[in-house]
Amino acid sequence: MRRHDMDWLRVIVFGLLIFYHVGMFFVPWGWHIKNDIIYPNARWPMLFVNQWRLPILFVISGMGTFYALSRRTAGQFAKERFIRLFIPLVFGMFVVVPPQIYFERLDNSQINPGYFDFWPSQLFANGVYPEGNFSWHHLWFLPYLLLFSLVLLPVFLYLRSYPNAGILNLMRKWASQPFGLFWLVIPLYAWESLVEPFFESTHALIGDWFNLVNYGTLFFYGFLLISVEDVFWATVEKNRRKYLYIGLVSFSLLLGIRLLFDDSTLVHFTEAIFKVVNLWAWILVLFGYAAAYLNRPSAQLSYANEAVYPFYILHQTITIAIGFYLMHLDWGFWPKFGLMVVGTFGLSWLIYEFLIRRWKWVRPLFGLKEKE
């Protein structure tokens, strides 16, 4: 039986994604369009969130794969993954993402105004983004998830058939100990310290080796952890406060290193330790507190759990569109930030409620099952 706390975490973390992408409009980090005034201090809460936001989504996705596969054959699972991930990806690349590129090109004076002069005639101009105009942008999560699901499918089928396999017995042993699950940071540290420096994060799938091995490992961890859920949930709920302390200390040390020391080989290997311990501690914190307080059904959860996928697909296009018309206004940070957050949530909800949710032929384009 799927746990309600997992669904709540999925909804909450995807909700944070809207706040995060609105924040990208204001901070020094590179993004598609930028506010006229940059607010460097806004990056600190974003730095805290981005340490664990994507990792926990891949862990949750691995957990969801366990449940999806438990009710399907391998062929049925592969077909379901294709329908729910590949179809929304293609639709998004042709319909949802192009306005983001249009506003970016317009801001850089690379094209003339008029969206339908841009789409579709210039969609394939000069190849793929950033040189060209064809991209999956924020939807990169979908092809990575599809790849992990299909590549790891034989391993998952084996583990499903042999619940006492050695790796599951080891995982059960670690999960029964308060700090046993921290053994899992060792592969994450190897990727962070030895792979990340040589492969820039591109989200382009091809050649994006750090993200492939790092997020693929976290996805695999999700499947392993939910395979031993009889001990996992009890351990994280009981020890959630200990993990919280570890998270607070490790993030403080990570922040201190970045503020006080220049880049060097020693600093890199030291920072990598605190980074992976930090992200894993916060993942366990979130699972622990969710198990304690969120593992209960509600009508709000049922509605949000279906809406979260369309919101994810739509939100960045809406955020960029709103930001484009606000970027040159002399309003200050909070009025712009508030309007972009409310506008992104509000317009995403209107599109979901009155177009996507109610029309059976639209639902599959956003990864939703047809209504019975």
Side-chain angles (χ1 to χ4, degrees):
M1 180 181 295
R2 190 176 177 99
R3 292 177 60 100
H4 304 295
D5 45 8
M6 276 177 50
D7 290 330
W8 270 121
L9 278 178
R10 177 171 170 266
V11 169
I12 291 168
V13 175
F14 271 117
L16 281 174
L17 184 61
I18 292 179
F19 289 93
Y20 186 85
H21 280 157
V22 171
M24 288 295 293
F25 181 66
F26 298 97
V27 297
W29 303 334
W31 204 52
H32 308 291
I33 63 172
K34 285 291 179 179
N35 188 48
D36 278 354
I37 299 175
I38 298 301
Y39 299 87
N41 288 334
R43 73 189 188 277
W44 300 121
M46 293 178 62
L47 177 64
F48 168 70
V49 171
N50 76 14
Q51 296 300 301
W52 48 262
R53 176 181 56 84
L54 283 169
I56 196 173
L57 282 177
F58 279 103
V59 174
I60 292 172
S61 297
M63 291 177 167
T65 299
F66 175 89
Y67 291 120
L69 194 55
S70 66
R71 303 187 300 270
R72 297 174 177 88
T73 64
Q76 291 170 336
F77 173 79
K79 179 181 178 181
E80 186 264 351
R81 293 290 89 181
F82 180 86
I83 292 173
R84 293 208 66 197
L85 296 173
F86 187 74
I87 291 176
L89 174 64
V90 173
F91 175 76
M93 292 174 69
F94 280 92
V95 178
V96 179
V97 171
Q100 301 180 33
I101 303 170
Y102 168 75
F103 284 116
E104 180 180 350
R105 301 300 188 214
L106 204 58
D107 178 46
N108 295 328
S109 302
Q110 294 174 301
I111 58 174
N112 296 318
Y115 181 70
F116 290 104
D117 293 328
F118 169 81
W119 186 92
S121 62
Q122 296 188 45
L123 188 60
F124 300 103
N126 303 317
V128 298
Y129 184 89
E131 291 80 11
N133 298 321
F134 193 59
S135 174
W136 51 45
H137 269 37
H138 69 294
L139 301 182
W140 68 268
F141 181 76
L142 303 183
Y144 282 65
L145 201 57
L146 180 61
L147 176 68
F148 298 154
S149 299
L150 298 181
V151 169
L152 291 172
L153 181 57
V155 179
F156 292 160
L157 291 172
Y158 172 81
L159 294 176
R160 186 181 68 174
S161 300
Y162 297 95
N164 291 317
I167 190 172
L168 292 182
N169 286 334
L170 180 61
M171 190 63 55
R172 192 170 286 107
K173 176 183 176 181
W174 286 347
S176 64
Q177 302 167 358
F179 302 106
L181 290 173
F182 279 90
W183 286 108
L184 295 175
V185 305
I186 293 176
L188 300 179
Y189 177 72
W191 313 147
E192 184 67 34
S193 60
L194 301 175
V195 180
E196 188 271 343
F198 302 102
F199 296 97
E200 181 183 1
S201 177
T202 65
H203 300 148
L205 197 63
I206 306 300
D208 192 22
W209 290 111
F210 170 68
N211 283 329
L212 284 169
V213 298
N214 189 52
Y215 292 136
T217 300
L218 289 161
F219 180 79
F220 184 53
Y221 282 177
F223 190 94
L224 293 178
L225 291 175
I226 208 66
S227 298
V228 297
E229 61 178 332
D230 51 329
V231 291
F232 169 72
W233 291 112
T235 298
V236 293
E237 182 176 356
K238 181 180 179 180
N239 296 284
R240 61 188 185 275
R241 186 170 295 181
K242 297 174 185 176
Y243 304 147
L244 177 61
Y245 296 150
I246 294 174
L248 291 171
V249 171
S250 57
F251 182 71
S252 299
L253 292 171
L254 176 64
L255 205 59
I257 285 179
R258 294 194 175 186
L259 289 172
L260 299 176
F261 296 96
D262 296 327
D263 289 337
S264 70
T265 301
L266 179 61
V267 168
H268 166 72
F269 281 96
T270 305
E271 179 189 50
I273 294 173
F274 296 133
K275 184 174 181 179
V276 296
V277 170
N278 174 69
L279 76 86
W280 191 244
W282 285 104
I283 288 173
L284 297 182
V285 168
L286 292 167
F287 280 131
Y289 279 92
Y293 300 109
L294 296 179
N295 192 26
R296 54 184 63 89
S298 72
Q300 293 82 5
L301 175 60
S302 298
Y303 184 91
N305 198 38
E306 182 182 68
V308 68
Y309 197 1
F311 269 57
Y312 159 68
I313 293 172
L314 292 168
H315 82 278
Q316 185 164 288
T317 297
I318 297 171
T319 297
I320 289 177
I322 297 172
F324 179 82
Y325 292 104
L326 294 180
M327 60 198 308
H328 301 307
L329 299 180
D330 187 20
W331 280 15
F333 175 81
W334 286 112
K336 288 185 179 182
F337 183 86
L339 182 57
M340 290 177 72
V341 169
V342 172
T344 301
F345 274 105
L347 289 174
S348 297
W349 177 79
L350 286 172
I351 296 171
Y352 166 71
E353 177 62 28
F354 296 104
L355 176 61
I356 300 169
R357 180 171 177 258
R358 301 172 185 233
W359 296 84
K360 65 179 183 180
W361 60 273
V362 178
R363 292 174 63 89
L365 301 177
F366 290 86
L368 303 183
K369 299 176 182 178
E370 291 189 14
K371 280 192 171 182
E372 299 179 356

